[in-house]
Coordinates of all heavy atoms in Angstrom, one line a residue:
V193 N -4.5 -21.6 -22.2 CA -4.7 -20.6 -21.2 C -3.8 -19.4 -21.6 O -2.6 -19.5 -21.6 CB -4.4 -21.2 -19.8 CG1 -4.5 -20.1 -18.8 CG2 -5.3 -22.3 -19.5
R194 N -4.4 -18.3 -21.9 CA -3.7 -17.2 -22.4 C -3.2 -16.3 -21.2 O -2.1 -15.6 -21.3 CB -4.5 -16.4 -23.3 CG -4.8 -17.1 -24.6 CD -5.7 -16.3 -25.6 NE -5.9 -17.0 -26.8 CZ -5.4 -16.8 -27.9 NH1 -4.6 -15.7 -28.1 NH2 -5.7 -17.5 -29.0
K195 N -4.0 -16.1 -20.2 CA -3.6 -15.1 -19.2 C -4.2 -15.4 -17.8 O -5.4 -15.9 -17.7 CB -4.2 -13.7 -19.7 CG -3.8 -12.5 -18.8 CD -4.3 -11.2 -19.4 CE -4.0 -10.0 -18.5 NZ -4.5 -8.8 -19.1
I196 N -3.4 -15.2 -16.8 CA -3.9 -15.3 -15.4 C -3.7 -14.0 -14.7 O -2.6 -13.4 -14.7 CB -3.1 -16.4 -14.7 CG1 -3.4 -17.8 -15.3 CG2 -3.5 -16.4 -13.2 CD1 -2.5 -18.9 -14.7
S197 N -4.8 -13.5 -14.1 CA -4.7 -12.2 -13.4 C -5.2 -12.4 -12.0 O -6.3 -13.0 -11.7 CB -5.6 -11.1 -14.1 OG -5.1 -10.9 -15.4
V198 N -4.5 -11.8 -11.0 CA -4.9 -11.9 -9.6 C -4.8 -10.5 -9.0 O -3.8 -9.8 -9.2 CB -4.1 -12.9 -8.8 CG1 -4.6 -13.0 -7.3 CG2 -4.1 -14.3 -9.4
N199 N -5.8 -10.1 -8.2 CA -5.8 -8.7 -7.7 C -6.3 -8.7 -6.2 O -7.1 -9.5 -5.8 CB -6.8 -7.8 -8.5 CG -6.4 -7.6 -9.9 OD1 -5.4 -6.9 -10.2 ND2 -7.1 -8.2 -10.8
L200 N -5.7 -7.9 -5.4 CA -6.1 -7.6 -4.1 C -6.9 -6.3 -4.1 O -6.4 -5.3 -4.5 CB -4.9 -7.4 -3.1 CG -5.2 -6.9 -1.7 CD1 -6.1 -7.9 -1.0 CD2 -3.9 -6.7 -0.9
V201 N -8.2 -6.4 -3.8 CA -9.2 -5.4 -3.9 C -9.8 -5.0 -2.6 O -10.1 -5.9 -1.8 CB -10.3 -5.8 -4.9 CG1 -11.3 -4.7 -5.1 CG2 -9.7 -6.0 -6.3
R202 N -9.9 -3.7 -2.3 CA -10.7 -3.2 -1.2 C -12.1 -2.7 -1.7 O -12.1 -1.8 -2.5 CB -9.9 -2.1 -0.4 CG -10.7 -1.6 0.8 CD -9.9 -0.6 1.6 NE -9.7 0.6 0.9 CZ -8.5 1.2 0.7 NH1 -7.4 0.6 1.3 NH2 -8.3 2.3 0.1
R203 N -13.1 -3.3 -1.1 CA -14.5 -2.8 -1.4 C -15.1 -2.1 -0.2 O -15.1 -2.7 0.9 CB -15.3 -4.0 -1.8 CG -16.8 -3.6 -2.0 CD -17.7 -4.9 -2.3 NE -17.3 -5.5 -3.5 CZ -17.6 -6.8 -3.8 NH1 -18.3 -7.5 -3.0 NH2 -17.2 -7.3 -5.0
V204 N -15.5 -0.9 -0.3 CA -16.1 -0.1 0.8 C -17.6 0.1 0.4 O -17.9 0.5 -0.7 CB -15.4 1.2 1.0 CG1 -16.1 2.0 2.1 CG2 -13.9 1.0 1.3
I205 N -18.4 -0.2 1.4 CA -19.9 -0.1 1.1 C -20.4 0.9 2.2 O -20.3 0.7 3.4 CB -20.6 -1.5 1.3 CG1 -20.0 -2.5 0.4 CG2 -22.1 -1.4 1.1 CD1 -20.5 -3.9 0.5
Y206 N -21.1 1.9 1.6 CA -21.8 2.9 2.5 C -23.4 2.5 2.4 O -23.9 2.4 1.3 CB -21.6 4.3 2.0 CG -20.1 4.6 1.8 CD1 -19.5 4.3 0.6 CD2 -19.4 5.2 2.8 CE1 -18.2 4.6 0.4 CE2 -18.1 5.5 2.6 CZ -17.4 5.2 1.4 OH -16.1 5.5 1.2
N207 N -24.0 2.4 3.5 CA -25.4 1.9 3.6 C -26.3 2.8 4.4 O -26.0 3.0 5.6 CB -25.4 0.5 4.2 CG -26.7 -0.2 4.1 OD1 -27.8 0.5 4.0 ND2 -26.7 -1.5 4.2
V208 N -27.3 3.4 3.7 CA -28.3 4.2 4.4 C -29.6 3.5 4.2 O -30.3 3.6 3.2 CB -28.4 5.6 3.9 CG1 -29.5 6.4 4.6 CG2 -27.0 6.3 4.1
N209 N -30.0 2.7 5.3 CA -31.3 2.0 5.2 C -31.6 1.2 4.0 O -32.7 1.3 3.4 CB -32.4 3.0 5.5 CG -32.3 3.8 6.8 OD1 -31.8 3.2 7.8 ND2 -32.6 5.0 6.8
G210 N -30.5 0.5 3.5 CA -30.7 -0.3 2.3 C -30.2 0.3 1.0 O -29.9 -0.4 0.0
A211 N -30.2 1.6 1.0 CA -29.6 2.3 -0.2 C -28.1 2.4 0.0 O -27.6 2.8 1.0 CB -30.1 3.8 -0.3
T212 N -27.3 1.9 -1.1 CA -25.9 1.8 -0.9 C -25.1 2.4 -2.0 O -25.6 2.7 -3.1 CB -25.5 0.2 -0.9 OG1 -25.9 -0.3 -2.2 CG2 -26.2 -0.5 0.2
K213 N -23.9 2.8 -1.7 CA -22.9 3.2 -2.6 C -21.6 2.3 -2.3 O -21.3 2.0 -1.2 CB -22.5 4.7 -2.4 CG -23.6 5.6 -2.9 CD -23.7 5.6 -4.5 CE -24.7 6.7 -4.9 NZ -24.7 6.8 -6.4
T214 N -20.9 2.0 -3.4 CA -19.8 1.1 -3.3 C -18.6 1.6 -4.0 O -18.7 2.1 -5.1 CB -20.1 -0.3 -3.8 OG1 -21.2 -0.9 -3.1 CG2 -18.9 -1.3 -3.6
T215 N -17.4 1.6 -3.4 CA -16.2 2.0 -4.1 C -15.2 0.8 -4.1 O -15.2 0.0 -3.1 CB -15.5 3.2 -3.4 OG1 -15.2 2.8 -2.0 CG2 -16.5 4.4 -3.4
L216 N -14.5 0.7 -5.1 CA -13.5 -0.4 -5.3 C -12.1 0.2 -5.5 O -11.9 1.2 -6.3 CB -13.8 -1.3 -6.4 CG -15.1 -2.1 -6.3 CD1 -15.4 -2.9 -7.6 CD2 -15.0 -3.1 -5.2
V217 N -11.1 -0.3 -4.8 CA -9.7 0.2 -4.9 C -8.8 -1.1 -5.1 O -8.9 -2.0 -4.3 CB -9.3 1.0 -3.7 CG1 -7.8 1.4 -3.9 CG2 -10.1 2.2 -3.5
N218 N -8.0 -1.0 -6.2 CA -7.1 -2.1 -6.4 C -5.8 -1.8 -5.6 O -5.1 -0.9 -5.9 CB -6.8 -2.3 -7.9 CG -6.0 -3.5 -8.2 OD1 -6.3 -4.6 -7.7 ND2 -5.0 -3.4 -9.1
L219 N -5.5 -2.7 -4.7 CA -4.3 -2.5 -3.8 C -3.0 -3.1 -4.4 O -2.0 -2.6 -4.2 CB -4.6 -3.0 -2.4 CG -5.8 -2.4 -1.7 CD1 -6.0 -3.1 -0.4 CD2 -5.7 -0.9 -1.5
D220 N -3.1 -4.2 -5.1 CA -2.0 -4.9 -5.7 C -2.4 -5.9 -6.8 O -3.6 -6.3 -6.7 CB -1.1 -5.6 -4.7 CG 0.3 -5.8 -5.2 OD1 0.7 -5.2 -6.2 OD2 1.0 -6.7 -4.6
S221 N -1.6 -6.1 -7.8 CA -1.9 -7.0 -8.9 C -0.8 -7.9 -9.2 O 0.4 -7.7 -9.0 CB -2.3 -6.1 -10.1 OG -3.3 -5.2 -9.9
F222 N -1.2 -9.0 -9.8 CA -0.3 -10.1 -10.3 C -0.8 -10.5 -11.7 O -2.0 -10.7 -11.9 CB -0.2 -11.3 -9.4 CG 0.5 -12.5 -9.9 CD1 1.9 -12.6 -9.7 CD2 -0.1 -13.4 -10.7 CE1 2.6 -13.7 -10.2 CE2 0.6 -14.5 -11.2 CZ 1.9 -14.6 -11.0
E223 N 0.1 -10.7 -12.6 CA -0.3 -11.1 -14.0 C 0.7 -12.1 -14.6 O 1.9 -11.9 -14.4 CB -0.5 -9.9 -14.9 CG -1.1 -10.2 -16.2 CD -1.3 -8.9 -17.0 OE1 -2.3 -8.1 -16.6 OE2 -0.6 -8.6 -18.0
N224 N 0.2 -13.1 -15.3 CA 1.1 -14.1 -15.9 C 0.5 -14.4 -17.3 O -0.6 -14.8 -17.4 CB 1.2 -15.3 -15.1 CG 2.2 -16.4 -15.7 OD1 2.9 -16.1 -16.7 ND2 2.3 -17.5 -15.1
T225 N 1.3 -14.2 -18.3 CA 0.9 -14.5 -19.7 C 1.7 -15.5 -20.4 O 1.5 -16.0 -21.5 CB 0.9 -13.2 -20.6 OG1 2.2 -12.6 -20.5 CG2 -0.1 -12.2 -20.1
E226 N 2.8 -15.9 -19.7 CA 3.7 -17.0 -20.2 C 3.2 -18.3 -19.6 O 3.8 -18.8 -18.6 CB 5.1 -16.7 -19.9 CG 5.6 -15.4 -20.6 CD 7.0 -15.0 -20.2 OE1 7.6 -15.8 -19.5 OE2 7.5 -14.0 -20.7
I227 N 2.3 -19.0 -20.2 CA 1.7 -20.2 -19.6 C 1.8 -21.3 -20.6 O 1.3 -21.2 -21.8 CB 0.2 -19.9 -19.3 CG1 0.0 -18.7 -18.4 CG2 -0.4 -21.2 -18.6 CD1 -1.4 -18.2 -18.3
S228 N 2.5 -22.4 -20.2 CA 2.7 -23.5 -21.1 C 1.4 -24.3 -21.2 O 0.5 -24.4 -20.3 CB 3.8 -24.4 -20.5 OG 3.4 -24.8 -19.2
K229 N 1.2 -25.0 -22.3 CA 0.0 -25.8 -22.6 C 0.2 -27.1 -21.9 O 1.1 -27.9 -22.2 CB -0.2 -25.9 -24.1 CG -1.6 -26.5 -24.4 CD -1.8 -26.5 -25.9 CE -3.1 -27.1 -26.3 NZ -3.4 -27.1 -27.8
D230 N -0.7 -27.5 -21.0 CA -0.6 -28.7 -20.2 C -2.0 -29.1 -19.7 O -2.9 -28.3 -19.7 CB 0.4 -28.5 -19.1 CG 1.0 -29.9 -18.7 OD1 0.4 -30.9 -18.9 OD2 2.1 -29.8 -18.0
D231 N -2.1 -30.3 -19.2 CA -3.3 -30.8 -18.6 C -3.5 -30.3 -17.2 O -4.6 -30.3 -16.6 CB -3.5 -32.3 -18.7 CG -2.4 -33.0 -18.0 OD1 -1.4 -32.4 -17.7 OD2 -2.7 -34.2 -17.7
E232 N -2.4 -30.0 -16.5 CA -2.4 -29.4 -15.2 C -1.4 -28.2 -15.1 O -0.2 -28.4 -15.5 CB -2.0 -30.4 -14.1 CG -3.0 -31.5 -13.9 CD -2.7 -32.4 -12.8 OE1 -1.8 -32.1 -12.1 OE2 -3.4 -33.4 -12.6
I233 N -1.9 -27.1 -14.7 CA -1.1 -25.8 -14.7 C -1.1 -25.3 -13.3 O -2.2 -25.1 -12.7 CB -1.7 -24.8 -15.7 CG1 -1.7 -25.4 -17.1 CG2 -0.9 -23.5 -15.6 CD1 -2.5 -24.5 -18.1
Y234 N 0.1 -25.0 -12.8 CA 0.2 -24.4 -11.4 C 0.8 -23.0 -11.5 O 1.9 -22.9 -12.1 CB 1.0 -25.3 -10.5 CG 0.3 -26.6 -10.2 CD1 0.6 -27.8 -11.0 CD2 -0.6 -26.8 -9.2 CE1 0.0 -29.0 -10.8 CE2 -1.2 -28.0 -8.9 CZ -0.9 -29.1 -9.7 OH -1.5 -30.3 -9.5
C235 N 0.2 -22.1 -10.9 CA 0.7 -20.7 -10.9 C 0.8 -20.3 -9.5 O -0.2 -20.2 -8.8 CB -0.2 -19.8 -11.7 SG 0.3 -18.1 -11.7
E236 N 2.0 -20.0 -9.1 CA 2.3 -19.5 -7.7 C 2.7 -18.0 -7.8 O 3.5 -17.6 -8.7 CB 3.4 -20.3 -7.0 CG 3.1 -21.8 -6.8 CD 4.1 -22.5 -6.0 OE1 5.0 -21.8 -5.4 OE2 4.0 -23.7 -5.9
G237 N 2.2 -17.2 -6.9 CA 2.6 -15.8 -6.8 C 2.3 -15.2 -5.5 O 1.9 -15.9 -4.5
K238 N 2.5 -13.9 -5.4 CA 2.2 -13.3 -4.1 C 1.8 -11.8 -4.4 O 2.2 -11.2 -5.4 CB 3.4 -13.3 -3.1 CG 4.6 -12.5 -3.6 CD 5.7 -12.6 -2.6 CE 6.9 -11.7 -3.0 NZ 8.0 -11.8 -2.0
L239 N 1.0 -11.3 -3.5 CA 0.6 -9.9 -3.5 C 1.1 -9.2 -2.3 O 1.3 -9.9 -1.2 CB -1.0 -9.8 -3.6 CG -1.6 -10.4 -4.8 CD1 -3.2 -10.5 -4.6 CD2 -1.3 -9.7 -6.1
S240 N 1.3 -7.9 -2.3 CA 1.8 -7.2 -1.2 C 0.6 -6.3 -0.6 O 0.0 -5.6 -1.3 CB 2.9 -6.3 -1.6 OG 4.0 -7.1 -2.0

């Protein structure tokens, strides 16, 4: 396992009778690349 990424994302959808536009904004991120090789891996973290 090379990398773990976690993101808090806001998705806004504008809808006019089925026609839509969508915007995405990343509010916070977490990343871990130092992962030991094992049969069970636990990654704890937090987003703000």
Side-chain angles (χ1 to χ4, degrees):
V193 177
R194 293 179 180 249
K195 183 178 179 181
I196 295 173
S197 302
V198 184
N199 296 289
L200 171 60
V201 176
R202 179 174 67 230
R203 176 186 294 165
V204 178
I205 303 174
Y206 309 88
N207 186 339
V208 178
N209 302 323
T212 62
K213 289 288 187 178
T214 302
T215 61
L216 295 174
V217 177
N218 190 42
L219 302 178
D220 198 19
S221 299
F222 171 92
E223 188 175 289
N224 185 4
T225 56
E226 299 179 0
I227 305 167
S228 60
K229 191 174 182 180
D230 204 340
D231 61 341
E232 292 187 7
I233 301 171
Y234 293 94
C235 177
E236 296 186 13
K238 67 179 181 179
L239 300 168
S240 296

